[in-house]
Amino acid sequence: MKKQILTACAAALVAMAMTGCEKTGTIEGVVLDPFTEQAVPMPTVWMDSTIFTTTKEKYPYKAELQKGEFKFEKVPVGSYRILAGRSKYIKSRNPVQTSEAEPNLKVKLYIYSDQVNPGLYKTGEKAPTKINNDWVLFSTQCTESVAGYRLEMAQSTDGAKVPPKADKKGKKAKGKTAAAATKTLTLKEPLVVDSKLNVLYVNASSVTAPLVAKTFAAIEDKVANHKDCKGFVETDVKGIFPDKSKSTDLKVTYVAENLYKITGDLPKGKQIIQFSQEGKTLQTYYFEVK
């Protein structure tokens, strides 16, 4: 009986010892500029609420940091949040997870200059290359219609926009004087893009609500059919509007704080791409898909 009790106790001790041996692995990777895919030298990388950081005095891979590379060894398996940053850069926060079966992990982290302005950018360029929104002056405020663009807009010769009714009614100006003081601008042709969309979008502010990206078929329609839109001179003229019955969801992927990758297949023809949060439109772009 004594022997059986001792054997049971020994087995229990062995089980406890095995449970206490936590499996560890290596988490390593590189910090890149998302606009150029080039390494960012000497980043700071750390794992939230842990001892793992590249700022430790005895961090052994400081030479690799010159190439944007980092490595943390003997990391217990589990879920973490890994962060990367650098002076004058916007940092990133990324969840990572290792397991008993896969204790090692390689990751890519992205940080970008705090001088990059909000807007849409090309990918794979030598420097951040913005896609200028030449149609923003023609956009109107809509609620249900998502967006709208004027086909024409009056502008004073000094570059200031003319109030919608000023050029129609002739207020504050008379006859030839009024005509000489203004010029008519027309909506530019949409930017021609490939059907495979792959761009970066920098949001103007940090909010917890998810970013939503959609593309809609662009159609020419009477303003009278879009009474929720403000900013057109008369309701009997035409504008460019999105056809809400022909929409396509685009994929939004977090890259770094306020920065997202937008990908997807665009239908052929003229399209209006909308970025929104909590049902509110942040920005729209006018494209033609070849």
Side-chain angles (χ1 to χ4, degrees), residues 41-284:
M42 295 307 295
T44 298
V45 183
W46 69 103
M47 293 169 62
D48 228 1
S49 303
T50 72
I51 62 171
F52 300 101
T53 173
T54 58
T55 60
K56 288 178 68 173
E57 186 177 347
K58 293 184 179 181
Y59 177 71
Y61 298 104
K62 292 185 178 180
E64 284 76 4
L65 276 177
Q66 294 284 353
K67 299 181 288 184
E69 299 172 359
F70 66 92
K71 181 184 289 188
F72 298 131
E73 297 175 310
K74 297 182 180 179
V75 181
V77 297
S79 299
Y80 301 95
R81 188 171 69 158
I82 189 167
L83 300 91
R86 186 181 142 169
S87 177
K88 297 183 179 180
Y89 275 71
I90 304 296
K91 62 187 175 184
S92 65
R93 314 164 192 259
N94 300 269
V96 295
Q97 184 170 359
T98 56
S99 64
E100 294 278 343
E102 297 181 356
N104 302 317
L105 184 65
K106 288 187 177 182
V107 296
K108 288 182 179 180
L109 306 177
Y110 293 93
I111 60 176
Y112 64 102
S113 169
D114 60 8
Q115 298 303 304
V116 176
N117 296 320
L120 204 61
Y121 287 81
K122 296 179 181 180
T123 55
E125 301 290 311
K126 294 182 179 180
T129 304
K130 194 171 187 178
I131 300 173
N132 291 322
N133 194 347
D134 296 325
W135 315 276
V136 69
L137 289 176
F138 289 84
S139 64
T140 63
Q141 296 179 349
C142 304
T143 52
E144 296 299 324
S145 300
V146 176
Y149 291 101
R150 303 174 182 87
L151 291 177
E152 293 183 347
M153 182 175 64
Q155 187 177 48
S156 66
T157 52
D158 62 1
K161 287 190 289 185
V162 176
K165 293 184 180 180
D167 60 318
K168 290 286 183 178
K169 302 293 184 178
K171 292 181 180 179
K172 297 183 181 180
K174 295 182 179 179
K176 294 182 179 179
T177 305
T182 63
K183 61 180 178 180
T184 300
L185 301 178
T186 57
L187 179 66
K188 290 188 177 181
E189 290 299 311
L191 179 68
V192 178
V193 297
D194 292 328
S195 59
K196 293 287 184 182
L197 185 69
N198 185 5
V199 293
L200 292 167
Y201 181 72
V202 181
N203 201 2
S205 60
S206 179
V207 292
T208 55
L211 178 72
V212 177
K214 286 178 175 284
T215 183
F216 301 86
I219 57 172
E220 189 173 310
D221 197 14
K222 288 184 178 180
V223 177
N225 295 331
H226 302 266
K227 295 179 181 179
D228 61 303
C229 292
K230 311 296 182 183
F232 286 95
V233 178
E234 302 290 347
T235 58
D236 59 345
V237 299
K238 287 187 177 181
I240 300 293
F241 294 91
D243 184 347
K244 292 184 69 176
S245 68
K246 297 179 180 179
S247 66
T248 302
D249 291 328
L250 301 174
K251 184 178 180 180
V252 178
T253 305
Y254 169 86
V255 178
E257 193 170 322
N258 294 351
L259 178 66
Y260 304 87
K261 178 172 280 192
I262 312 298
T263 55
D265 295 321
L266 299 176
K268 288 187 177 181
K270 294 180 180 180
Q271 298 282 316
I272 292 178
I273 294 181
Q274 177 211 31
F275 299 102
S276 65
Q277 280 179 315
E278 296 183 314
K280 296 180 180 179
T281 299
L282 302 174
Q283 190 75 65
T284 57

